[in-house]
Amino acid sequence: MWLEILLASVLGFVIYWFVSKDKEETLPLEDGWWGPGVRPTAGEDKSIRPFKVETSDEEINDLHQRIDRVRLTPPLEDSRFHYGFNSNYLKKIISYWRNEFDWRKQVEILNKYPHFKTKIEGLDIHFIHVKPPNLPSGQTPKPLLMVHGWPGSFYEFYKIIPFLTDPKNHGLSDEHVFEVICPSIPGYSFSEASSKKGFNSVATARIFYKLMLRLGFQKFYIQGGDWGALICTNMAQLVPSHIKGLHLNTALILRNFYTLTLPLGRCFGGLFGYTERDMELIYPFKKIFFSLLRESGYLHIQSTKPDTVGCALNDSPVGLAAYILEKFSTWTNSEFRDLEDGGLERKFSLDDLLTGIMLYWTTGTITSSQRFYKENLGQVNKHEMLKVYVPTGFAAFPCELMHLPEKWLKTKYPNLISYSYMPRGGHFAAFEEPELLAQDIRKFVGLQERQ
C-alpha cells in the first residue's frame, strides 16, 4: 500500500515537471513541392476550377468482371469477425455490389455538393465547398474546414453538412451557421498523390492552410478525426493566429506521462484526475490493450511496406472492400467482431459503405493513401513534442479505439475549453453519428465565441 502511494507521488512529480517545462512554440511554416520532377520556375496556377465526379460504362463493366472472378476462402466455423472479414457475409456484399448497387446514382449524390480543384505545392487538391442555403439576415457564416482520415474520405461528411450549413431546417438552432470546406488528403480519392517521399501530416496541414487562404478565409475553425485530427492539430501548431478553434474527435498524444498511471489508475484514479466515466472506458486495461493489439496489424504493414499490400488491394475490388469494411466494423464497435455480419448494417447502409469503397477503387488511391502511414510514423516528429494553444474542443465517443481522458488531452491541448462524453458512437463519428458530432461542434464554437 505505502509503496503504491510512494510510486504515485513520484509519478505525480514527474508529470508536473514534464508538463510545466514546456514553452509555447509553433512549427515553421516552410514551403514544399510535391509534384513530379523539378519545381517549375513559373509561378503556380492559383485558379480554382469546378470539378465533377464522373463514371463510365467501361469503369462499371471492369468492376463487374473483376467481381465475377472473385475467389473466396471459406471461413472457419464460428469464427465470425475474429479472423478478419467473414467471407460468408462478404458474399452478401458482393451480390449487392454486383446486382443492386447503383454507382451512377451514387455519383449523382456525390455531385450534390459543389466540387473544386486547385494546384498547391505541385498537387491538384480536391475539395467540396458548401455554403449555407438559408443564411439568417445579418449573420455571417463561420468557415469550418473538416478533414477526414483513413480509410475514409470527404464523403463521410455528407450527412453532417446539413446540420452545420442549414441547422434550422434540420432541428437545430441557427445561432451558429457554417460554411463547410472538406478537402481530400493528397493521395486520397480525387486529390493528387505526392510524387516524392516525405509527404506527411505537416505538409498536408500547410497545403490546407494555403487552400483556406486561397478561398479568402484569414481565420477559421477546423475539425478532424483520425488523420484529420493530426492534420488539424498541425495546422494549429503552424498558424495558430489563423485558427479560431480546433475541434477533434480523436487525438494522437505521444508525449504523455499519464499513460504511466494506467497500472495505478484503478486504485488511484481520482488522484490522477480520472472521472468515473473515464474509469469505465479505460478499464479493465488488459481488455483494451489486447483490443488495440488486435486492431493494429494494418498499422505496422502500412507504416513499413504499404506498396506491397497496395498491389493486391488495387487489383481486387473484393479484396479492397474486405480490407476497408472490416475497419468500419470493429472500429465502430469492437464487440461487433462477435457478430456473423460484423454489425456493419447496424450503423451504415451498404450504399454508403460501397460508395466509400468506390472512391478508393475508381481513383486507384489505396496505395497512396496507405503511404501516409509510412511518411508519418516510425520517426520522431517535432510536432509530437509541441503543445497546441488555440482553443480546443473534444468529443469523446465511447466506442473509439482508445478512450482519452480530459486530463490526458490537456497535456497536449492546455486550452481545452470543451470536453464531452458522447452518449454513443465510435471512430467514424461524422459518418455514424452526424447530428451528435454537429451538436458538439456547435457547443464548442458557442463556448469559444463567448470567451
Side-chain angles (χ1 to χ4, degrees), residues 92-126:
K92 176 187 175 181
I93 290 182
I94 292 169
S95 176
Y96 183 86
W97 199 0
R98 177 64 175 86
N99 302 308
E100 299 179 59
F101 179 72
D102 188 343
W103 176 230
R104 291 188 185 280
K105 178 185 174 183
Q106 295 306 115
V107 165
E108 290 178 10
I109 292 172
L110 288 172
N111 284 324
K112 78 174 183 177
Y113 294 132
H115 293 247
F116 303 90
K117 284 190 174 185
T118 189
K119 282 278 187 183
I120 304 177
E121 296 192 12
L123 300 179
D124 228 5
I125 303 301
H126 162 262

Side-chain angles (χ1 to χ4, degrees), residues 180-238:
V180 178
I181 300 91
C182 303
S184 296
I185 297 171
Y188 288 68
S189 60
F190 303 112
S191 276
E192 185 179 358
S194 172
S195 295
K196 295 174 172 57
K197 296 185 293 183
F199 185 83
N200 58 17
S201 62
V202 175
T204 308
R206 184 177 63 240
I207 284 176
F208 288 172
Y209 163 63
K210 291 179 179 180
L211 171 64
M212 294 301 280
L213 292 184
R214 191 168 294 181
L215 292 172
F217 302 117
Q218 290 294 323
K219 290 196 172 186
F220 46 90
Y221 289 97
I222 53 179
Q223 199 285 330
D226 196 87
W227 282 129
L230 180 57
I231 292 165
C232 289
T233 293
N234 293 158
M235 290 180 75
Q237 293 167 324
L238 285 166

Side-chain angles (χ1 to χ4, degrees), residues 12-13 51 60 62 67 75 78 98 100 103 110 143 165 182-183 215 218 250 255 282 324 347 368 388 410 433 440 450:
F13 174 77
F51 173 77
I60 295 171
D62 175 72
I67 290 175
D78 197 34
R98 177 64 175 86
E100 299 179 59
W103 176 230
L110 288 172
T165 60
C182 303
L215 292 172
Q218 290 294 323
T250 54
R255 189 186 180 188
I282 292 175
I324 288 178
K347 291 290 188 173
S368 54
V388 175
K410 283 189 172 180
E433 297 289 350
D440 200 68
R450 283 195 294 272

Side-chain angles (χ1 to χ4, degrees), residues 21 200 287-288 313:
K21 73 186 187 72
N200 58 17
K287 178 183 176 182
I288 302 298
L313 300 177

